[in-house]
Each structure stands twice: as structure tokens, then as C-alpha cells.
Amino acid sequence: MVHAFSRPRPAPGPQVVAPDADRARPRRPAGGQDTRTRTALVTGASSGIGAAVARRLGGEDGWRLVLTGRDPVRLRRVADDTSATAFAADLTLPGADRQLADFALATAGPVDLLVAGAGVGWAGEFLDMPPHTIDEVLDVNVLATLRLVRLVLPGMVAAGSGRVVLIGSLAGSVAVRDEAVYSAAKAAIGAFADSLRYELRGTGVGVTHVVPGVVDTPFFERRGTPYRRSRPRPVPPERVADAVHGAVVRGRDEVYVPSWLRLPCRVRGTAPGLYRRLAARFG
């Protein structure tokens, strides 16, 4: 199913495409074992990391997927590939988060796993950044994510189980030149993950912060500036999706992709002055 949420218009309402009955039916593991089907809600699923996560989870039994993204055409393709139900929406619009949460509950049941993969960036000097773009980067990367977490979290706490996966960025851990607002937004996500994890201790609900470096996705095309550095080399989004899956299975709090990215973060934490000098020279 692909359902669309958009700004009110005088034209007819959003188109609803009914899914194939077999595709919408919850899947069971082979052998007929009656294991409860878990519901995963993935944002930013029309491309990039979100789409890769959807495909990774869709390749396993036991997950019922609800996907959302701003591009209905691409979202439909991912939904078809993963036997998922999809809700096309811009989560920065007023009420879209509530519409999505209600849609997920009505079509798939309580959310057991939220993977917040939606994100946008902008590259250039801060003084050249248009004010409306500042708002967009913060709205998509921070506010929309926090609002959606706030809506699905009570159900997880009531059930005594569940996991929230927040896709961050190395930019949020060490800061990146010419990406001041994006770095700030992803830093906020990292701090939110830590704080929320402390609050949820003992509830059975986990919080995972995934910190990828450069990922080979349309992200750079959309931010308006291609990735030109020789290092670090971009990794495929499927590698991030594998890390997300492993973190969910093992209950990990924080994952770096690739894992060696922990090193610059540790250098910045233990020797911030040295790190800043190196970053100013080589960053």
C-alpha cells in the first residue's frame, strides 16, 4: 500500500493503492511456528540508508514493514521489493507525524522497531546558507525525528520491549568544515540518543545510535555539492543496513560504520586541541 500525505489542496484527496493480499499478510517463519510478527517503521525509506535498511529487514521472516519517505515513486519501488506497506509523507509538515503513527498502528500494529533514517544536508559556508535551508536541515534531521519518537515510544514502553535506531553521522561526532548546521543537527541526535537511553533504562526499550561516515547515496547530489575527498572512501548503504540489523539483533547502543571511525572520535575526546589542529590542516 502506498498512501500519501501532503499539504491540503483543492484537488481530490491522496491516492491510496491497495496492496496485494498476500503481500500485506504478516509472514511466519518456515515450519509453521507461531512467532509474533514484529512491526518495523523505517523513515527515509525511499532511497539511501533507509531503503537499504528496509531491504535488509524485508529479507527476513518475522518483520512487518511500514515505510515512509518524501518521494512516492521511489518509495513504491522499495515497498514492492520488501513486501512492505508505505506512507509517502513529508514529516516536517504539521500533523504528518501523527498521521504516520496512526497509519502504522492501524495497518501493522504497535511499532516494535523505529529506524529513523530520514535526513538532508547542505554544504557550504554558514554565512552563505539560506535561512530557509537552516530550518529544513533542523526540521528533517532533528525535529521530525524527535516528534515521531515521542509518538511511538509510549507503545514500546507499555509493551516492555522495542528499539529506537537513530541514524547519526560522523559529522555530528567530530564536526565537519562547511557543514555547520548539518553537524549541529547530527550532534543533537547523538545527544538525544544518550539522554533517552538513560531515561529508558529498565523499561525493556533500547536506543541505538548508528554513526556512519561517508555513504554512497543520493545525499550528496541533493545537498548540492558532490563528495570530492579521497578519504574516507564512501561505503555502500547496504553496509550501514547490515550494521543496523546487527545492532538490533545484539542490542547494541552505538555502532560506527566503518568501525575505525571510533578512532577520530576518541582523539577528539581525549586530545581536542590536537584534533582541532589536525582538522584545520587536513580537514
Side-chain angles (χ1 to χ4, degrees), residues 4-223:
F5 178 93
S6 59
R7 294 184 186 276
R9 294 174 181 156
Q15 180 183 10
V16 179
V17 181
D20 179 87
D22 291 334
R23 184 160 63 87
R25 189 177 300 125
R27 294 172 294 168
R28 298 292 182 188
Q33 184 179 1
D34 188 17
T35 302
R36 186 178 74 86
T37 301
R38 297 163 295 171
T39 295
L41 172 58
V42 182
T43 74
S46 53
S47 66
I49 294 173
V53 169
R55 291 188 171 100
R56 182 67 177 83
L57 295 177
E60 293 193 350
D61 287 321
W63 285 109
R64 183 194 287 114
L65 299 180
V66 178
L67 311 179
T68 189
R70 294 198 285 187
D71 187 327
V73 176
R74 293 188 182 190
L75 188 65
R76 181 194 295 269
R77 294 194 196 109
V78 179
D80 288 342
D81 290 344
T82 57
S83 301
T85 302
F87 184 92
D90 180 347
L91 295 181
T92 67
L93 297 179
D97 50 352
R98 172 62 70 179
Q99 290 267 348
L100 173 61
D102 290 346
F103 176 83
L105 182 63
T107 59
V111 174
D112 301 284
L113 170 65
L114 170 63
V115 181
V120 296
W122 189 88
E125 293 189 6
F126 178 67
L127 292 179
D128 295 331
M129 190 173 187
H132 74 273
T133 307
I134 296 174
D135 294 343
E136 181 186 18
V137 171
L138 293 175
D139 284 349
V140 174
N141 292 291
V142 183
L143 297 180
T145 295
L146 268 58
R147 285 194 293 260
L148 186 59
V149 172
R150 180 63 182 84
L151 288 171
V152 302
L153 196 57
M156 294 183 184
V157 173
S161 65
R163 181 159 293 271
V164 174
V165 177
L166 302 170
I167 306 297
S169 170
L170 181 65
S173 299
V174 299
V176 176
R177 178 186 293 171
D178 291 338
E179 294 187 51
V181 177
Y182 180 72
S183 296
K186 289 303 186 179
I189 289 297
F192 173 67
D194 283 341
S195 182
L196 186 62
R197 192 181 300 115
Y198 301 148
E199 290 185 23
L200 295 175
R201 195 172 191 178
T203 65
V205 180
V207 179
T208 297
H209 182 213
V210 178
V211 186
V214 184
V215 185
D216 186 10
T217 72
F219 173 87
F220 295 101
E221 299 172 17
R222 293 171 185 164
R223 75 174 188 174

